[in-house]
Every structure is written in C-alpha cells, then in structure tokens.
C-alpha cells in the first residue's frame, strides 16, 4: 500500500469517527447551559403548574436552570413545531400533551410528524378526566345518564374544553360506545366550561379532575363517573365509566419529548432524573395537591403508549367526523 493511500484511509477513518466522538463527548458533558422546556399552554393551567413543579427538581439534578417556555396555540401544535425545529442536543424539551396524539388525525396537514420527529423521553402525570353534571340535571350516575339520554335524544348538552381536545373526543367515544346522542358545546378552556356548567347553560361536561375537584367538594357540580381505567385515589367512592360501559377508558396524560436524533445517553439521563423526581416525596406531594397521578415509562414504553393513543383517537376522530375549529 502506498504512503498516499494509507494516509487517505487514515484521514477517511478519522472523518467518520470524529462526529461520533464529538457526539459522545457532548453527551458526557451534558448539560453545560440552561434547558428550555416548551409548554403548549398558557401560564396558570394544569400543564404549566406540573411543568413548574418538575422544573426545579430537574434543574437541581442536572445542575443547570430549566426555563419554562410557554408557547400556547393551535392545540399545542405551535409548541411541537418549536421543538421539532430545535437542535437535537437535549436543550429543548417538549411538554407532550394528550392532545398531541389527537392532533395527528384531527389536522389534515401538519408540518411535522409527532411519532417521527419527536423522540419520547418519559411519562409525567395522568390528569384524570371526569364526567360532571349541573346539580339540577336528572341523573346521578353514568347508567342514569345513558338511560335519560336515550329517552331524550339530542336534548342533552355536553361541554368540552375545546374542539378536538381530549375532553371532546372522550365525549365522542362515550357516544359511540353507548349509542346516545348529545349536543357538543366547545369552550376555550376548562374554566369557562365549568362556569357555564354551574350556571346551567350546559348539562354535562368532561373536565380534568384538577379543575373540577374543588367544585365537586363544594357541592356546586355533581360527578357521575371517572373516565380513567381505575378509580381515582382522590374520589375512591366514585365509579369509573368502565364499570358501566365495559371497555371505556379516556384520560388526559402528558410526558416529555425531545427532537428526534437527540443522543440516546441524553434521553436516558433525562428519563432517569424525571422518574426520580416523580418518586420524590416532596414532588409527589405537590403533584397530589393538583389531583394528578405520576406515570412511569422508559423512553421505549412512552413511545409505544403515544403510538397507541394516536391509533385509538384516530378511530374516534374518523367515526365522529371531528374537524378542527
């Protein structure tokens, strides 16, 4: 082999090895500057509260500030696009909301593919969904609601916190599985929806337990069922919808993602610290104050869960003919 050929092969090998070495070195040093956690909801809501509970924990464990970057709008699509466009270096985190899984089939043309462009990191928490009623509504349980709705088709109104939201599609799933007719009334958020529910402008609503629990305890609205698979530890005597409608399950979950291509070591580092935070007694106590339940996933498990939610809600969106506002 000539000297020139040997030298060419050495340089070529170095050229291919350098990016890998550089990437590994960056992963080993991570993080060296502040992280931005992009949240697709305005300040003050459940998503923002949860992220601000977890951010100080992460900052302490990672040794760098974790800055909450609220990017509300377009059913969290704006926040997803912001992270998709960010470098895959572990410094841009995405608050992945359940609505992101609905959006995949709700919107005809998105400039990104959630499952392709966002790498799953970990679960965060489950916001239990609940079916609540105005105090004057003539039903005290899920079974009574179904019976009443069948006897009065199209005369029962049900509020959601937005067209295409998990609140909305959970109601559509209930209609599909029971054959009842209800009039959907979309709101721009849970707060105005619950205000109208208490005022009698709408008969029923599907809300996160975080928002409705104070009003339930105060006797201002009546809870008919918890929509998650299991009963809520905060309302253990309230049946699940699945106890009346076999197989029914709907919940509003969230987790963390990063741009696809982020180094595996960084993803695993973030997963370890987030799961440790969810198990920390002080963090758990703060999350319990807003009626949420931690969920624990490896990156692969969270990715599988996201994919299953995309598939589940795609069927509901198609059958119900749900269209974005």
């Amino acid at each position: 082999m000539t000297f020139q050929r040997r030298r060419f092969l050495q340089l070529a090998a170095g050229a291919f090895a350098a990016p890998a070495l550089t990437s590994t070195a960056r992963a080993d040093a991570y993080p060296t500057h502040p992280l931005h956690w992009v949240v697709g909801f305005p300040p003050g809501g459940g998503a923002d509260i949860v992220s601000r509970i977890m951010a100080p924990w992460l900052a302490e464990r990672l040794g760098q500030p974790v800055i909450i970057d609220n990017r509300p709008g377009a059913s969290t699509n704006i926040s997803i696009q912001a992270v998709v466009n960010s470098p895959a270096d572990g410094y841009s985190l995405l608050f992945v909301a359940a609505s992101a899984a609905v959006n995949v089939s709700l919107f005809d043309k998105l400039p990104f593919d959630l499952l392709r462009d966002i790498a799953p990191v970990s679960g965060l928490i489950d916001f239990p969904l609940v079916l609540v009623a105005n105090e004057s509504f003539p039903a005290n349980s899920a079974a009574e609601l179904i019976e009443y709705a069948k006897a009065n088709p199209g005369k029962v109104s049900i509020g959601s916190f937005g067209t295409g939201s998990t609140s909305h599609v959970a109601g559509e799933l209930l209609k599909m599985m029971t054959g009842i007719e209800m009039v959907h009334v979309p709101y721009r958020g849970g707060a105005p929806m619950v205000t109208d529910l208490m005022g009698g402008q709408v008969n029923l609503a599907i809300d996160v337990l975080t928002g409705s629990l104070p009003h339930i305890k105060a006797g201002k609205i009546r809870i008919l069922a918890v929509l998650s698979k299991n009963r809520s530890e905060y309302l253990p005597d309230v049946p699940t919808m699945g106890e009346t409608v076999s197989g029914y399950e709907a919940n509003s979950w969230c987790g963390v993602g990063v741009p696809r291509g982020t180094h595996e070591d960084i993803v695993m580092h973030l997963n370890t610290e987030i799961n440790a935070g969810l198990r920390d007694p002080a963090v758990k106590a703060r999350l319990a104050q807003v009626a949420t339940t931690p969920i624990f996933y490896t990156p692969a498990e969270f990715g599988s869960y996201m994919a299953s939610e995309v598939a589940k809600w795609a069927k509901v969106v198609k059958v119900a003919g749900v269209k974005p506002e």
Side-chain angles (χ1 to χ4, degrees):
M1 183 181 294
T2 66
F3 173 79
Q4 289 86 352
R5 179 171 172 76
R6 285 199 303 271
R7 182 59 177 160
F8 171 77
L9 292 174
Q10 290 169 351
L11 290 172
F16 282 110
L21 290 171
T22 301
S23 176
T24 302
R26 286 199 299 267
D28 289 342
Y30 174 86
T32 59
H33 57 267
L35 287 72
H36 284 256
W37 193 351
V38 182
V39 179
F41 299 91
D48 182 68
I49 291 170
V50 167
S51 60
R52 291 180 190 276
I53 289 172
M54 290 300 299
W57 168 271
L58 270 180
E60 181 178 352
R61 296 290 287 243
L62 297 176
Q64 293 290 340
V66 177
I67 301 165
I68 303 300
D69 184 358
N70 296 97
R71 301 279 189 98
S75 190
T76 75
N77 287 332
I78 291 174
S79 64
I80 298 171
Q81 185 66 66
V83 173
V84 168
N85 291 344
S86 299
D89 56 9
Y91 290 94
S92 294
L93 311 182
L94 174 66
F95 185 97
V96 184
S99 55
V102 179
N103 291 346
V104 173
S105 52
L106 179 65
F107 292 86
D108 291 332
K109 293 181 180 180
L110 287 172
F112 56 82
D113 182 312
L114 178 71
L115 300 180
R116 181 196 65 204
D117 297 332
I118 294 295
V121 172
S122 70
L124 268 179
I125 57 93
D126 174 44
F127 291 98
L129 289 173
V130 290
L131 177 63
V132 286
N134 175 269
E135 275 292 293
S136 64
F137 186 69
N140 294 297
S141 66
E144 290 182 7
L145 159 65
I146 294 167
E147 181 181 0
Y148 181 83
K150 286 184 176 180
N152 299 273
K155 294 183 179 180
V156 177
S157 58
I158 181 167
S160 79
F161 41 73
T163 298
S165 66
T166 51
S167 172
H168 179 198
V169 293
E172 295 297 333
L173 179 62
L174 179 61
K175 290 158 65 175
M176 288 169 51
M177 294 183 70
T178 59
I180 61 177
E181 295 180 31
M182 296 187 289
V183 179
H184 174 231
V185 182
Y187 287 85
R188 293 189 179 277
M193 175 187 70
V194 173
T195 297
D196 271 11
L197 180 68
M198 291 189 291
Q201 282 75 41
V202 65
N203 301 132
L204 305 169
I206 292 179
D207 192 20
V208 289
L209 182 57
T210 303
S212 280
L213 186 58
H215 306 297
I216 294 168
K217 289 186 172 181
K220 295 180 179 179
I221 55 177
R222 183 189 311 133
I223 182 167
L224 302 185
V226 175
L227 305 190
S228 51
K229 183 177 181 179
N230 301 311
R231 293 193 180 196
S232 169
E233 62 183 294
Y234 305 104
L235 295 169
D237 296 329
V238 178
T240 67
M241 182 61 73
E243 292 175 49
T244 300
V245 182
S246 180
Y248 182 93
E249 180 184 350
N251 59 332
S252 186
W253 49 269
C254 64
V256 179
V258 291
R260 183 70 66 179
T262 301
H263 197 285
E264 183 181 357
D265 289 350
I266 291 175
V267 171
M268 290 306 303
H269 187 28
L270 289 169
N271 176 272
T272 298
E273 298 303 347
I274 291 168
N275 283 335
L278 294 173
R279 291 186 174 94
D280 178 75
V283 173
K284 285 177 64 177
R286 292 193 64 194
L287 291 172
Q289 290 175 352
V290 290
T292 62
T293 304
I295 52 176
F296 300 93
Y297 288 121
T298 64
E301 289 169 343
F302 184 47
S304 296
Y305 181 69
M306 286 171 60
S308 69
E309 286 286 284
V310 167
K312 173 181 179 177
W313 294 121
K315 296 176 183 177
V316 176
V317 168
K318 181 178 180 180
V319 172
V322 179
K323 299 295 182 183
E325 292 180 329

